[in-house]
Amino acid sequence: MSYTTHDPYDTFTPLRDVVSRFLGDGMVNPDRLMTFGRTMPVDVIETPDDFIIEASLTGVKPSSVQVTATSSSVTIHVGRKAHARIEEEGVYLRRERYERHSPEMTRTIALPMEINPDKVEATYEHGVLTIRVAKDEATKPKTIPLHVAKEQAEH
């Protein structure tokens, strides 16, 4: 009589293989961009007085960028004109510039507190869009001073 041993972790093998392929290929793979949609990477930094949003928009003309703000979010919209494809007899050996066929991107960043849309400033330099969003004074956290009773202060 022969016994087959069963490894309880065998059921996770397909999941482990998918995760390994995902991490091995890297997060920014041109095939993944087409699968998940075209977007732009952003960093959001919070300071005591404002939020700073930095978006990488390499190769985008400033005239193609539109920034809008509401009371709790900022939206970046990039509208590019699609490049005319040159029809020639040829086959792609490598194709990584998918933005030529996906001319628009939009990203909305929800902020954790109310903002004043009138106090949003945007600058664009060397392919990096920097947006400064001033926090609304009424919703900023206030530090409450601690008053110590006279008897406890002496102990």
Side-chain angles (χ1 to χ4, degrees):
M1 178 188 279
S2 68
Y3 291 100
T4 41
T5 59
H6 175 69
D7 184 4
Y9 298 106
D10 278 346
T11 56
F12 295 109
T13 301
L15 177 63
R16 184 177 54 227
D17 292 343
V18 169
V19 171
S20 294
R21 270 196 316 271
F22 178 73
L23 295 175
D25 290 346
M27 300 283 281
V28 181
N29 183 334
D31 297 331
R32 279 197 208 344
L33 291 175
M34 293 304 286
T35 304
F36 296 126
R38 185 81 170 119
T39 187
M40 67 207 72
V42 298
D43 292 333
V44 181
I45 303 158
E46 182 177 6
T47 67
D49 296 323
D50 55 10
F51 296 99
I52 301 168
I53 301 168
E54 294 179 337
S56 295
L57 301 175
T58 307
V60 175
K61 294 179 182 176
S63 60
S64 300
V65 179
Q66 179 184 12
V67 178
T68 56
T70 65
S71 62
S72 62
S73 68
V74 174
T75 300
I76 304 166
H77 179 79
V78 177
R80 297 188 208 170
K81 293 183 180 176
H83 292 82
R85 186 170 175 222
I86 300 170
E87 296 293 330
E88 296 178 7
E89 290 184 25
V91 178
Y92 284 103
L93 296 178
R94 184 178 190 112
R95 188 175 193 173
E96 295 179 355
R97 299 186 316 150
Y98 286 98
E99 72 274 3
R100 294 171 59 91
H101 305 289
S102 178
E104 293 188 62
M105 296 183 283
T106 300
R107 181 92 185 251
T108 299
I109 298 97
L111 298 169
M113 64 175 44
E114 295 288 318
I115 62 168
N116 184 348
D118 295 328
K119 294 186 178 181
V120 176
E121 298 174 0
T123 57
Y124 186 74
E125 185 177 1
H126 302 295
V128 177
L129 174 67
T130 303
I131 304 168
R132 284 195 171 280
V133 181
K135 292 181 181 176
D136 192 14
E137 291 295 324
T139 59
K140 271 190 192 177
K142 306 282 189 259
T143 303
I144 309 300
L146 181 63
H147 299 285
V148 180
K150 211 175 210 186
E151 303 92 42
Q152 289 183 352
E154 295 173 4
H155 292 293

